[in-house]
């Protein structure tokens, strides 16, 4: 009987084109959009607009160093356009302008305490200027080391002693501890998978409210079907939908963006528990809300608020400490954490047991609420 209810619900969902849009097409579009756009941020070279008033071998060497160290695409402007370029910066149309003044070569050649200057005009509202300034400081550090090396050479120091003098006292040993390199796509694919699983609550609430208002729920009393079987059958239907949804989205991420899923048994356990949690919350809301509009408001609050606080849109470490603490009390955080543990850190089922336990706790609590409220839901259907 429970399976019959679920089968009936699956047939109805297959007839509703909107269901496929919200649960499959929309998340795929989000993954493609944000995975493609954000994934290109680090690989697309930034343009460095400059005016070289010195036009010397030294200024050309400086620009070559900036291009090599910062990966910039150089864009030259004539000296006569300086005022126009500065106007573009003030209008927000240009983020920065590097000007190499006349005499740059001569100032470098003088040595001693002389300094060669460059001028960096920038838009204070631009986020890209800090990276350019850091690159300039790195190049300036190279010039400083070259000057020290020349001074030591003039003093008669041999190559080995000069090398030791210029060697930094600090050595950085980079030892990544993750089995897979983390990138934008490993954040986006599981993040939007988790986010859109909770959108299944929209279909659940709409179906329960529709059955209630059309008298379908009331007519259950005239059949031999147990009301509890109706509740469990509806839940089973959307549990299956959520499982298919997760499978499709993760498979899309794997084949379209080469996302390494890791231990598939751990992924399967996580997907099942996530679907259990999302549909459990949807079941509780369906029994509590008084109408479809109220239900949609709750769904938006849970899905969007949970996406932000759960670190589904961007890494959690970017958030204030207080919000990071709050995130531990929502299921989306634990689902995303478990996905990251499996995909990036190489964990297996034993490593994600705490996350699975939290998702299970949310599911059990919400199912308990649904069962407690089910009798009241049925009474309101009969009185309506």
């Amino acid at each position: 009987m429970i399976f019959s209810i679920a089968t009936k619900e699956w047939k109805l969902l297959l007839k509703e084109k909107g269901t496929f849009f919200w649960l499959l097409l929309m998340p795929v579009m989000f993954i493609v959009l944000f995975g493609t756009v954000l994934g290109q941020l680090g690989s697309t070279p930034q343009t460095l607009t400059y005016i070289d008033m010195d036009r010397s071998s030294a200024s050309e060497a400086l620009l070559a160093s900036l291009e090599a160290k910062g990966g910039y695409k150089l864009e030259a402007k004539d000296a006569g356009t300086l005022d126009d370029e500065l106007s573009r910066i003030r209008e927000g149309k240009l983020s920065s302008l590097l000007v190499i003044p006349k005499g740059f070569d001569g100032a470098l050649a003088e040595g001693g305490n002389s300094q060669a200057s460059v001028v960096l005009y920038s838009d204070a509202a631009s986020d890209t200027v800090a990276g350019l300034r850091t690159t300039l400081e790195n190049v300036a550090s190279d010039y400083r080391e070259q000057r020290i090396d020349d001074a030591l050479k003039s003093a008669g120091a041999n190559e080995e002693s000069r090398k030791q003098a210029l060697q930094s006292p600090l050595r950085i040993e980079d030892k990544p501890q993750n089995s897979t390199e983390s990138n934008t796509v490993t954040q986006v694919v599981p993040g939007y998978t988790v986010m859109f699983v909770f959108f299944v609550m929209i279909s659940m609430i709409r179906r329960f409210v529709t059955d209630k208002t059309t008298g379908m729920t009331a007519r259950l009393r005239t059949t031999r079907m147990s009301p509890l079987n109706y509740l469990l059958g509806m839940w089973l239907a959307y549990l299956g939908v959520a499982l298919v949804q997760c499978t499709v989205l993760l498979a899309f991420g794997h084949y379209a963006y080469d996302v390494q899923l890791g231990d598939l048994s751990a992924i399967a356990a996580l997907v099942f528990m996530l679907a259990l949690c999302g549909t459990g919350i949807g079941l509780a809301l369906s029994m509590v809300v008084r109408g479809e509009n109220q239900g949609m408001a709750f769904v938006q609050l849970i899905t969007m608020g949970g996406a932000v606080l759960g670190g589904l849109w961007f890494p959690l470490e970017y958030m204030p400490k207080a919000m990071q603490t709050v995130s531990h009390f929502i299921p989306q955080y634990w689902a995303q954490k478990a996905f990251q543990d499996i995909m990036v850190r190489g964990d297996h089922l034993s490593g994600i047991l705490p996350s699975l336990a939290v998702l299970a706790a949310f599911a059990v609590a919400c199912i308990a609420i649904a069962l407690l409220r089910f009798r009241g839901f049925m009474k309101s259907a009969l009185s309506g």
Side-chain angles (χ1 to χ4, degrees):
M1 191 66 72
I2 295 175
F3 188 74
S4 298
I5 292 291
T7 303
K8 179 268 299 182
E9 197 62 26
W10 286 328
K11 290 180 180 179
L12 290 175
L13 287 172
L14 288 174
K15 295 179 181 179
E16 296 181 2
K17 297 180 180 179
T19 301
F20 290 97
F21 177 78
W22 281 106
L23 299 183
L24 291 178
L25 294 182
M26 178 67 81
V28 166
M29 290 168 58
F30 269 72
I31 290 173
V32 171
L33 175 63
F34 288 95
T36 302
V37 173
L38 297 179
Q40 294 297 321
L41 290 181
S43 58
T44 303
Q46 297 180 17
T47 299
L48 172 58
T49 305
Y50 71 93
I51 296 177
D52 184 2
M53 296 181 176
D54 195 50
R55 295 186 179 277
S56 62
S57 58
S59 63
E60 290 178 358
L62 171 65
L63 292 169
S65 296
L66 290 173
E67 185 178 23
K69 287 183 175 295
Y72 293 103
K73 179 182 178 182
L74 301 180
E75 182 181 7
K77 297 292 183 180
D78 294 331
T81 65
L82 176 60
D83 291 337
D84 293 335
E85 298 303 320
L86 295 181
S87 295
R88 290 180 63 200
I89 291 178
R90 287 190 287 269
E91 294 170 1
K93 297 178 180 179
L94 182 66
S95 61
S96 60
L97 173 68
L98 180 67
V99 177
I100 306 175
K102 290 182 179 180
F104 176 80
D105 187 18
L108 280 180
E110 287 182 15
N113 294 324
S114 65
Q115 284 187 309
S117 298
V118 296
V119 182
L120 178 63
Y121 298 96
S122 62
D123 180 1
S126 175
D127 295 330
T128 63
V129 176
L132 174 57
R133 190 175 290 110
T134 299
T135 304
L136 283 168
E137 291 172 354
N138 290 335
V139 172
S141 178
D142 291 342
Y143 278 103
R144 182 175 63 252
E145 291 180 3
Q146 184 61 50
R147 175 174 289 185
I148 294 173
D149 186 61
D150 292 341
L152 291 173
K153 185 184 296 184
S154 300
N158 58 37
E159 183 178 354
E160 184 63 27
S161 61
R162 297 199 314 271
K163 183 178 180 181
Q164 291 179 358
L166 294 174
Q167 186 176 7
S168 173
L170 176 65
R171 182 177 65 180
I172 301 173
E173 297 184 7
D174 190 12
K175 296 182 178 180
Q177 300 299 298
N178 297 336
S179 60
T180 305
E181 182 181 356
S182 179
N183 52 45
T184 303
V185 179
T186 59
Q187 171 75 28
V188 168
V189 172
Y192 283 106
T193 298
V194 173
M195 173 180 166
F196 278 94
V197 162
F198 288 86
F199 271 95
V200 77
M201 295 187 294
I202 294 177
S203 298
M204 294 182 71
I205 292 172
R206 181 178 292 122
R207 180 63 62 197
F208 275 105
V209 171
T210 300
D211 284 357
K212 180 179 175 181
T213 54
T214 58
M216 174 67 180
T217 308
R219 285 196 294 272
L220 288 176
R221 291 291 189 180
T222 63
T223 68
R224 292 184 297 175
M225 179 184 296
S226 166
L228 185 59
N229 286 343
Y230 164 75
L231 180 68
L232 296 178
M234 295 285 281
W235 179 35
L236 176 62
Y238 290 98
L239 179 63
V241 170
L243 291 174
V244 172
Q245 180 189 29
C246 288
T247 302
V248 170
L249 296 181
L250 291 175
F252 176 80
H254 174 67
Y255 290 108
Y257 291 98
D258 196 29
V259 174
Q260 300 304 308
L261 299 179
D263 186 347
L264 293 183
S265 61
I267 288 288
L270 174 57
V271 164
F272 179 77
M273 202 57 68
L274 174 61
L276 205 66
C277 178
T279 55
I281 296 174
L283 204 63
L285 283 178
S286 299
M287 298 298 104
V288 171
V289 298
R290 297 181 178 179
E292 187 173 328
N293 289 336
Q294 187 185 51
M296 296 306 105
F298 276 114
V299 170
Q300 294 297 327
L301 178 63
I302 292 171
T303 54
M304 297 303 179
V308 175
L309 291 175
L312 306 185
W313 291 348
F314 44 79
L316 202 63
E317 55 263 26
Y318 293 166
M319 296 170 55
K321 193 68 176 179
M323 295 183 70
Q324 292 185 34
T325 302
V326 173
S327 68
H328 287 69
F329 295 91
I330 61 174
Q332 287 94 329
Y333 163 80
W334 294 98
Q336 178 72 347
K337 179 181 183 301
F339 273 121
Q340 294 292 299
D341 288 341
I342 298 169
M343 295 180 178
V344 178
R345 302 179 185 93
D347 276 354
H348 300 281
L349 184 60
S350 59
I352 64 167
L353 288 179
S355 296
L356 296 181
V358 173
L359 293 175
F362 272 102
V364 170
C366 289
I367 293 169
I369 292 172
L371 291 174
L372 290 173
R373 291 287 302 170
F374 184 53
R375 180 175 295 181
F377 174 82
M378 294 297 294
K379 286 183 178 179
S380 64
L382 290 172
S383 61

Coordinates of all heavy atoms in Angstrom, one line a residue, residues 1 18 24 41 60 103 148-149 176 211 258 272 290 294-295 354 380:
M1 N 0.8 -1.2 0.0 CA 0.0 0.0 0.0 C 0.9 1.3 0.0 O 0.6 2.2 -0.7 CB -0.9 0.0 1.2 CG -2.0 1.1 1.2 SD -3.2 0.8 -0.2 CE -4.1 -0.6 0.5
G18 N 7.4 21.4 -14.3 CA 8.1 22.3 -13.3 C 8.9 21.5 -12.3 O 9.9 22.1 -11.8
L24 N 16.1 19.5 -11.1 CA 17.3 19.0 -12.0 C 17.9 20.1 -12.8 O 19.0 20.4 -12.8 CB 16.8 17.8 -12.8 CG 16.5 16.5 -12.0 CD1 16.0 15.4 -13.0 CD2 17.7 16.0 -11.3
L41 N 38.2 32.5 -12.7 CA 38.7 33.8 -12.1 C 40.2 33.7 -11.9 O 40.9 34.7 -12.1 CB 38.0 34.0 -10.7 CG 36.5 34.4 -10.8 CD1 36.0 34.6 -9.4 CD2 36.4 35.7 -11.6
E60 N 61.6 48.3 -19.8 CA 61.1 47.1 -20.5 C 61.3 45.8 -19.6 O 60.5 44.9 -19.6 CB 61.8 46.9 -21.8 CG 61.3 48.0 -22.9 CD 62.1 47.8 -24.2 OE1 63.0 46.9 -24.3 OE2 61.8 48.5 -25.1
G103 N 63.6 59.0 -16.7 CA 64.7 59.0 -15.8 C 64.8 57.7 -15.0 O 65.6 57.6 -14.1
I148 N 72.2 44.6 -3.7 CA 73.1 44.1 -2.7 C 74.2 43.1 -3.3 O 75.3 43.2 -2.9 CB 72.3 43.3 -1.6 CG1 71.3 44.3 -0.9 CG2 73.2 42.6 -0.6 CD1 70.4 43.6 0.1
D149 N 73.7 42.3 -4.2 CA 74.7 41.4 -4.9 C 75.8 42.2 -5.6 O 77.0 41.8 -5.6 CB 73.9 40.5 -5.9 CG 74.8 39.5 -6.5 OD1 75.3 38.6 -5.7 OD2 74.9 39.4 -7.7
P176 N 50.9 19.9 1.4 CA 49.4 19.7 1.4 C 49.0 18.3 2.0 O 49.6 17.3 1.8 CB 49.1 19.7 -0.1 CG 50.2 20.4 -0.7 CD 51.4 20.0 0.1
D211 N -3.8 17.9 -1.9 CA -4.6 16.8 -1.5 C -5.6 17.2 -0.4 O -6.7 16.7 -0.4 CB -3.7 15.7 -1.0 CG -3.0 14.9 -2.1 OD1 -3.3 15.2 -3.3 OD2 -2.2 14.0 -1.8
D258 N 34.9 16.8 -14.1 CA 36.0 15.9 -13.6 C 36.1 16.0 -12.1 O 37.2 16.0 -11.6 CB 37.3 16.2 -14.3 CG 38.3 15.0 -14.1 OD1 37.8 13.9 -14.0 OD2 39.5 15.3 -14.1
F272 N 22.1 9.3 0.9 CA 20.9 8.7 1.5 C 20.5 9.5 2.7 O 19.3 9.8 2.9 CB 21.1 7.2 1.8 CG 19.9 6.6 2.5 CD1 18.8 6.2 1.8 CD2 19.9 6.4 3.9 CE1 17.6 5.7 2.4 CE2 18.8 5.8 4.5 CZ 17.7 5.4 3.7
R290 N 0.0 26.2 7.4 CA -1.4 26.4 7.2 C -1.8 26.5 5.7 O -3.0 26.5 5.4 CB -1.9 27.6 8.0 CG -1.7 27.4 9.5 CD -2.2 28.6 10.2 NE -2.1 28.5 11.7 CZ -2.5 29.4 12.6 NH1 -3.0 30.5 12.2 NH2 -2.3 29.2 13.9
Q294 N 2.6 30.1 3.1 CA 3.4 30.0 4.3 C 4.5 28.9 4.1 O 5.6 29.2 4.6 CB 2.5 29.7 5.5 CG 3.2 29.7 6.8 CD 2.3 29.3 8.0 OE1 1.7 28.2 7.9 NE2 2.3 30.1 9.0
G295 N 4.2 27.8 3.5 CA 5.1 26.8 3.3 C 6.3 27.3 2.4 O 7.5 27.0 2.7
P354 N 30.3 11.4 12.2 CA 29.7 12.6 12.9 C 28.7 13.3 12.1 O 27.6 13.7 12.6 CB 30.9 13.4 13.4 CG 32.0 12.5 13.4 CD 31.8 11.5 12.3
S380 N -8.0 18.6 10.3 CA -8.2 19.8 9.6 C -8.7 19.5 8.2 O -9.5 20.3 7.6 CB -6.9 20.7 9.6 OG -5.9 20.0 8.9

